[in-house]
Amino acid sequence: QVQLVESGGGLVQAGGSLTLSCVASGNIFILNAMAWYRQTAGKQRELVALITTNSGGTKYSDSVKGRFTISRDNAKNIVTLQMTSLKPEDTGVYYCNADSLDRDLRRSDSWGQGTQVTVSS
């Protein structure tokens, strides 16, 4: 079982910045990728940013490109999302996601409990 613990959400004014962090622990042999998703009212959960732990390749949603930066610390199984120039439409619950393998090479797709980000106008 893999546990993901998120931190760093909160309330910020439009134009401000926040940094989210997520620590992965548990039955992890290989951590393939980590990502941040968000869910806003009335919408499906959407991918915000993803990073592969091997190559460090990244992917961003069009709505956050140039404003958000995802990074990782492979030694500590931590992924961080730096969010700048925040907009009210960035408001939502942000979820950490991890794609991992255990020592038996069984794949897990794990989720954190979510952290609220609220951007006031």
Side-chain angles (χ1 to χ4, degrees):
Q1 190 173 0
V2 176
Q3 294 81 41
L4 301 177
V5 178
E6 301 128 331
S7 61
L11 172 66
V12 65
Q13 288 188 329
S17 302
L18 278 176
T19 298
L20 306 182
S21 294
C22 174
V23 182
S25 62
N27 193 9
I28 299 171
F29 179 58
I30 297 173
L31 194 55
N32 293 318
M34 295 187 76
W36 287 97
Y37 286 74
R38 71 184 176 196
Q39 188 157 19
T40 55
K43 295 185 179 180
Q44 289 188 330
R45 193 174 297 186
E46 62 172 348
L47 175 68
V48 175
L50 176 147
I51 187 166
T52 60
T53 52
N54 187 26
S55 67
T58 58
K59 177 181 180 180
Y60 296 92
S61 71
D62 289 341
S63 63
V64 307
K65 280 180 183 177
R67 300 188 297 121
F68 291 11
T69 302
I70 190 170
S71 59
R72 89 270 191 230
D73 182 333
N74 287 346
K76 299 180 179 179
N77 287 345
I78 294 175
V79 64
T80 299
L81 184 69
Q82 293 179 300
M83 305 185 293
T84 64
S85 301
L86 283 161
K87 304 175 181 179
E89 51 263 43
D90 293 318
T91 295
V93 179
Y94 284 69
Y95 294 91
C96 179
N97 172 265
D99 175 7
S100 63
L101 299 174
D102 64 17
R103 291 190 178 275
D104 294 320
L105 300 183
R106 291 174 298 196
R107 193 169 184 173
S108 292
D109 183 39
S110 306
W111 294 89
Q113 79 283 359
T115 185
Q116 177 70 43
V117 171
T118 303
V119 184
S120 62
S121 56

